[in-house]
Amino acid sequence: LITGKLASVLIPSVGLPTTFAYFGIAFGIILVILSLPFRFPAAGWAPTGWKPAAGSVAAADFTPGEMVKTGTFWGLFLCFLIGSIAGLMAIGISKPAGNEIIKISGETAATLVGVFAIFNALGRPLFGFLTDKITPRNAAILNLVIILIVSLIMIIAREGDTGLYTISFIGFWLCLGGWLAIAPTATATFFGMKNYARNYGVVFCSYGLGAIVGGIISGQAKDVFGTYTVAFYPTAVLAVVGLVLTVALLKTPKKA
């Protein structure tokens, strides 16, 4: 909502490389300032009267090496990858898919992308709340079911189906934001807090991989088949695969 509009002003006036340089400097300054109040709490600290929810505390702490040997890790990694592929692909083609498939104007598509971004932000607290309440496993199942439904909607969407397009892309953007809440919580829940920073660093690699694969899927769909509609078949299939993986693998691991 903010950086996109700033970029649209800066790029024509100063060029792409300089725009990135400005953003890098600004983000560096902001992050340093915001990090100054951070302090590590004393070992074992917890808020007065706080009790962890059932199943929210890992039975054992895993190192990254131990973590990657578990089926739980691969279930989480692959499901996060699937959510990232679907979400990041949708972000990349939100506007052109609306123009091509639904035949909405560029101005309308741009406005709707701003709306989608709001739901992407809302996905984080919403799925963070759900992950705490119904466990990471059930939150992942819900997220993947939504991805499956909105993929199928976009497969059948045709010219003039602005409502279907809007609902679908709200779902994609919401679910991508949701995985950025599910994955870190699941990492802590399944593998403990002692090595959390290193463990989540490994899990988060799936997000970067998802950006690459999602871009390839959307680009190839358009180049080979001439339409973005084909891009939603893989996301539907991947959502089903993710549901199977979640049910089979996303459970509390046993430490060897």
Side-chain angles (χ1 to χ4, degrees):
L1 292 175
I2 298 174
T3 54
K5 293 186 182 299
L6 285 175
S8 66
V9 173
L10 288 171
I11 291 173
S13 59
V14 300
L16 183 62
T18 304
T19 298
F20 274 116
Y22 286 166
F23 279 154
I25 293 169
F27 291 155
I29 293 171
I30 292 169
L31 287 171
V32 169
I33 292 173
L34 292 178
S35 70
L36 293 177
F38 286 4
R39 298 289 185 276
F40 280 105
W45 179 88
T48 303
W50 176 81
K51 293 182 180 180
S56 64
V57 179
D61 288 302
F62 289 72
T63 65
E66 293 169 333
M67 177 183 70
V68 299
K69 295 176 182 178
T70 67
T72 303
F73 165 75
W74 289 107
L76 176 59
F77 186 92
L78 292 172
C79 288
F80 191 11
L81 173 62
I82 289 168
S84 299
I85 289 171
L88 293 169
M89 182 205 74
I91 284 177
I93 66 172
S94 294
K95 185 176 178 180
N99 296 151
E100 179 212 288
I101 301 171
I102 313 300
K103 306 300 183 185
I104 57 177
S105 67
E107 183 179 349
T108 300
T111 300
L112 286 173
V113 167
V115 174
F116 301 154
I118 294 172
F119 281 90
N120 180 251
L122 291 175
R124 292 160 171 79
L126 173 61
F127 276 93
F129 171 79
L130 290 172
T131 301
D132 288 339
K133 289 295 182 181
I134 64 175
T135 74
R137 185 171 185 260
N138 291 330
I141 290 173
L142 175 60
N143 189 289
L144 290 163
V145 167
I146 293 173
I147 291 174
L148 174 59
I149 292 171
V150 297
S151 296
L152 295 175
I153 289 175
M154 280 308 300
I155 289 172
I156 65 172
R158 296 293 181 266
E159 181 177 346
D161 290 333
T162 306
L164 294 181
Y165 161 76
T166 303
I167 291 170
S168 294
F169 276 85
I170 282 175
F172 281 122
W173 286 61
L174 180 79
C175 287
L176 177 63
W179 272 107
L180 294 174
I182 296 170
T185 306
T187 302
T189 300
F190 293 134
F191 306 111
M193 289 299 298
K194 184 177 180 181
N195 301 298
Y196 170 75
R198 291 190 296 156
N199 287 342
Y200 185 58
V202 176
V203 172
F204 193 70
C205 289
S206 59
Y207 186 84
L209 185 59
I212 297 171
V213 177
I216 292 173
I217 290 174
S218 59
Q220 289 298 309
K222 178 63 175 176
D223 293 342
V224 175
F225 297 99
T227 176
Y228 285 112
T229 298
V230 178
F232 300 102
Y233 286 93
T235 58
V237 172
L238 286 172
V240 174
V241 173
L243 287 168
V244 174
L245 291 171
T246 301
V247 172
L249 298 177
L250 220 57
K251 56 188 71 174
T252 302
K254 293 182 180 180
K255 194 168 185 178

